[in-house]
Amino acid sequence: MDWIDEITLISEVSEKDRVNKNGFATKPKESTRTVFCNKKSVGYSEYFKSQQTGKVVERKCDVHKADYEGEDTVELGGKAYFVLKTYDIDDDTVELTLTDLRYKERGA
């Protein structure tokens, strides 16, 4: 593996004050980190099986476990994705299965 691709891991940082002076919830700020990854292809079988669930697997990539801190949103190739699932490849690597970001709002 070459580890030449880049992925941006996005996490939400909650505000000190969860509500503003008018009592409305404040929107959490985002924190981003760009790390190296290996982009992988999604096989035909996995792609079509995922369509049956309504959450289409669009991309996959491997990242180092030391870099990944459980973020559920990533950006790859200029597009934002939701991390549908993770899979431990070995002691150093975790595979991220990515789907369209709209599934984050639906509660995956």
Side-chain angles (χ1 to χ4, degrees), residues 12-48:
E12 291 183 350
V13 179
S14 60
E15 293 285 329
K16 177 179 71 170
D17 297 320
R18 299 177 77 185
V19 293
N20 64 19
K21 64 182 179 178
N22 296 322
F24 293 103
T26 58
K27 187 174 182 178
K29 293 186 179 179
E30 290 183 342
S31 172
T32 62
R33 295 179 298 116
T34 301
V35 300
F36 289 107
C37 73
N38 285 319
K39 290 193 276 187
K40 299 167 71 174
S41 61
V42 176
Y44 286 115
S45 176
E46 184 174 12
Y47 176 79
F48 288 112

Side-chain angles (χ1 to χ4, degrees), residues 2-13:
D2 295 331
W3 299 98
I4 59 171
D5 303 309
E6 292 184 350
I7 188 169
T8 301
L9 305 172
I10 304 168
S11 61
E12 291 183 350
V13 179

Side-chain angles (χ1 to χ4, degrees), residues 42 44-58 82 84-85 97-100 102-103 106-108:
V42 176
Y44 286 115
S45 176
E46 184 174 12
Y47 176 79
F48 288 112
K49 284 181 182 178
S50 71
Q51 280 189 322
Q52 293 174 347
T53 68
K55 298 174 185 167
V56 179
V57 173
E58 294 187 22
F82 174 67
L84 187 60
K85 72 174 186 150
T97 302
L98 310 175
T99 188
D100 193 288
R102 67 180 165 220
Y103 295 113
R106 293 184 189 173

